[in-house]
Amino acid sequence: MEQKEVGIGEQILKLGQFLKQHYDGVISENVRRGLKCVYVDFEDIASFDPFLADFILDKPQIALDCIDVALQEQFEVKNFKFRMRNLPKSCSILIRNISPSLMLGRYMTIV
């Protein structure tokens, strides 16, 4: 899928909208219970905005920084972590097949 170039501010806005629409109750409950993270299903992100899902996979460090800002802006929480589950199979790799030069900077699941 061809990704259009989108600014960081717009990515933060999209991520904030996604979290508010799909995980508002979960995040609020986790904060109330003193938990410090939220587990997000990758399929929820892909359904919400395929370009946003590609952004997270292709530029995970920048995306995680954007998610931190979105969490702070939307939910007024600090040091709250975002964890993803159910990444696509194409992101899974056997530990023996890891090649740093090929995988550097990509979001992946180690199996």
Side-chain angles (χ1 to χ4, degrees):
M1 182 177 303
E2 188 178 321
Q3 185 166 349
K4 57 185 176 183
E5 196 62 36
V6 178
I8 297 298
E10 189 174 335
Q11 297 291 17
I12 292 169
L13 181 63
K14 284 183 185 180
L15 286 160
Q17 291 170 343
F18 166 77
L19 291 168
K20 200 72 166 161
Q21 287 177 14
H22 294 276
Y23 287 88
D24 185 38
V26 174
I27 293 171
S28 297
E29 179 64 19
N30 287 0
V31 169
R32 188 187 66 72
R33 293 175 47 203
L35 300 175
K36 295 288 186 184
C37 69
V38 62
Y39 288 89
V40 174
D41 191 310
F42 183 79
E43 282 300 313
D44 291 343
I45 297 170
S47 295
F48 177 77
D49 186 335
F51 292 112
L52 188 60
D54 287 343
F55 170 69
I56 291 170
L57 293 178
D58 293 339
K59 299 179 181 177
Q61 189 55 56
I62 295 170
L64 290 172
D65 292 343
C66 290
I67 291 165
D68 286 343
V69 172
L71 283 165
Q72 288 177 22
E73 288 179 356
Q74 291 291 323
F75 300 94
E76 299 176 5
V77 294
K78 291 185 179 182
N79 300 321
F80 197 83
K81 299 299 175 195
F82 175 92
R83 305 283 184 244
M84 237 183 324
R85 53 176 90 162
N86 297 325
L87 287 170
K89 294 284 186 206
S90 63
C91 293
S92 295
I93 186 167
L94 294 173
I95 198 161
R96 70 175 179 246
N97 295 336
I98 293 176
S99 170
S101 63
L102 296 175
M103 304 302 165
L104 193 62
R106 298 269 312 162
Y107 214 118
M108 68 183 76
T109 301
I110 308 293
V111 292

